[in-house]
Amino acid sequence: MITLKKVMDQINIQCDVIPMGEDLTVLLYGGDRPHIGSTVLSIPRASLTGEGLSATSSVLNCLGHKDDELARIFAEKIAVRFNHTTVCICGIHVDGLSGDGIKAIYDGCLLLLDEMLAIIGNENLLISSQK
């Protein structure tokens, strides 16, 4: 398992990546009340353009949650980069968060994703690197 923790606009965010055989589970959570807000399953596939990989994703949201926006980005980028089925479960909640605070968390999570992609690439997490 890989764990990264970041503080964004005084809000603690954590990302865990857990290998499960040839698949990856990503947990992205934090704030005042970490929770399960959204779950995204991304399955890599050949791009419809005929070049490279893309992903087909399915989304499950808890009522009223918008965590799927980050969960989709994390699941799809990791699935496509490593050609492995990936699930991202995301739940970040901060009471009374401003629009600027939401943007700070969103932007910070994208930086966290870039760091995680580099770490996964350097670790031997997966049983097989080919599907």
Side-chain angles (χ1 to χ4, degrees):
M1 179 168 84
I2 299 171
T3 297
L4 285 179
K5 297 177 183 180
K6 295 287 179 195
V7 177
M8 301 162 197
D9 201 30
Q10 300 182 345
I11 298 161
N12 292 315
I13 305 294
Q14 183 165 324
C15 183
D16 302 324
V17 175
I18 304 163
M20 298 178 72
E22 292 187 3
D23 304 323
L24 291 166
T25 298
V26 179
L27 307 174
L28 180 61
Y29 55 99
D32 299 329
R33 290 192 311 265
H35 61 285
I36 296 173
S38 300
T39 302
V40 175
L41 167 69
S42 293
I43 301 169
R45 59 167 171 77
S47 174
L48 299 177
T49 66
E51 295 181 23
L53 291 177
S54 187
T56 295
S57 296
S58 298
V59 178
L60 293 171
N61 278 329
C62 290
L63 187 62
H65 287 76
K66 303 216 181 222
D67 300 288
D68 61 300
E69 292 188 29
L70 282 170
R72 180 184 290 270
I73 293 168
F74 272 67
E76 289 182 353
K77 284 201 173 191
I78 292 171
V80 167
R81 173 76 61 91
F82 301 105
N83 194 23
H84 289 276
T85 299
T86 302
V87 169
C88 181
I89 301 167
C90 182
I92 301 168
H93 179 85
V94 178
D95 290 327
L97 193 61
S98 69
D100 288 342
I102 292 170
K103 181 167 177 21
I105 289 173
Y106 182 87
D107 292 345
C109 284
L110 295 182
L111 294 173
L112 183 65
L113 174 58
D114 287 340
E115 287 182 49
M116 188 58 82
L117 289 167
I119 292 169
I120 294 169
N122 290 329
E123 296 284 329
N124 189 16
L125 283 181
L126 302 166
I127 287 175
S128 169
S129 62
Q130 298 180 9
K131 275 202 159 185

